[in-house]
Amino acid sequence: MEKLLYTLCKNTVQLPRRCHGKDYKTYYPGVSLEAQEDCYPEELQRSENLENLKELLNSNECRPYIENVGNGVTVYAEYYIEEATYEREDDDDDWEFLNGSMYYFRDADNEPAADKVGDINPIKAARVIAGYTQQQLSDLLDIPLMTLSQWETGKRNPPAYVKKMLFTMLKHPEILK
């Protein structure tokens, strides 16, 4: 069985010492991060819904950033969406990459933050991918809006069992009906 899926990814690359504090794109104009030997791509979220992923990609959650990680190492990170075909034998297997690699990049301001904006909050990512606003999810699950907002900003953490239930519900929206 094959399926077209979209994957929100983050690429990070260590900047050369002479480039620290500068935007990667300024230092290497026209060179993609993937072309660098020390590029570290990371899959953050996979979905069938491109529009929701694009919304997340263009939010401040996915703003590129430059981070000084210590010991003279500075990292540049940027986000993108990969479109590819995946396959699996049956419903119990994980989706495996088959082919493709069309990329979608930010339409929003792509200037990197001078400091780390932060990785995507998984609760917010799951909500956006599922297509709910904070208010809709708050009403649907009978969770105070302020609580959900604090979970998404990282001001508060829900108990592990609540996180697990929330992700399961958002991954399988038929449960909520």
Side-chain angles (χ1 to χ4, degrees):
M1 165 181 3
E2 293 181 11
K3 183 181 278 193
L4 183 65
L5 294 172
Y6 304 96
T7 306
L8 179 63
C9 300
K10 176 175 78 172
N11 268 348
T12 56
V13 66
Q14 289 186 8
L15 298 176
R17 192 171 293 279
R18 63 188 178 277
C19 180
H20 288 191
K22 297 180 185 174
D23 178 357
Y24 171 85
K25 300 278 185 188
T26 303
Y27 192 76
Y28 290 116
V31 179
S32 71
L33 288 182
E34 293 84 13
Q36 300 302 311
E37 290 177 11
D38 58 351
C39 173
Y40 303 101
E42 176 185 354
E43 286 189 6
L44 301 175
Q45 184 76 43
R46 199 178 286 164
S47 174
E48 295 178 49
N49 190 325
L50 176 60
E51 292 310 311
N52 285 343
L53 278 181
K54 279 186 173 181
E55 181 181 326
L56 189 56
L57 177 68
N58 287 304
S59 73
N60 273 339
E61 296 286 333
C62 290
R63 187 172 167 199
Y65 62 85
I66 299 170
E67 179 183 20
N68 183 345
V69 293
N71 294 333
V73 177
T74 301
V75 171
Y76 174 78
E78 71 178 14
Y79 300 84
Y80 64 95
I81 297 172
E82 178 185 67
E83 176 183 305
T85 304
Y86 289 80
E87 67 177 350
R88 68 180 179 186
E89 295 289 320
D90 58 51
D91 290 344
D92 294 332
D93 294 336
D94 288 335
W95 289 102
E96 297 291 330
F97 178 83
L98 181 62
N99 62 46
S101 60
M102 181 172 173
Y103 297 99
Y104 298 90
F105 297 97
R106 284 174 61 92
D107 295 326
D109 176 23
N110 209 29
E111 286 298 310
D115 57 350
K116 186 174 180 179
V117 172
D119 291 336
I120 297 172
N121 180 292
I123 295 173
K124 179 175 182 178
R127 176 184 57 78
V128 170
I129 297 303
Y132 293 106
T133 65
Q134 277 188 343
Q135 186 65 59
Q136 289 170 329
L137 189 58
S138 167
D139 293 345
L140 190 62
L141 300 176
D142 200 24
I143 298 171
L145 182 60
M146 183 59 76
T147 299
L148 183 58
S149 177
Q150 289 175 339
W151 289 350
E152 288 189 4
T153 60
K155 290 180 182 171
R156 288 179 56 197
N157 282 320
Y161 73 92
V162 171
K163 251 188 197 178
K164 190 179 253 184
M165 285 190 315
L166 184 61
F167 291 143
T168 301
M169 287 183 224
L170 290 174
K171 191 172 183 179
H172 303 283
E174 66 275 6
I175 296 172
L176 298 171
K177 295 181 176 154

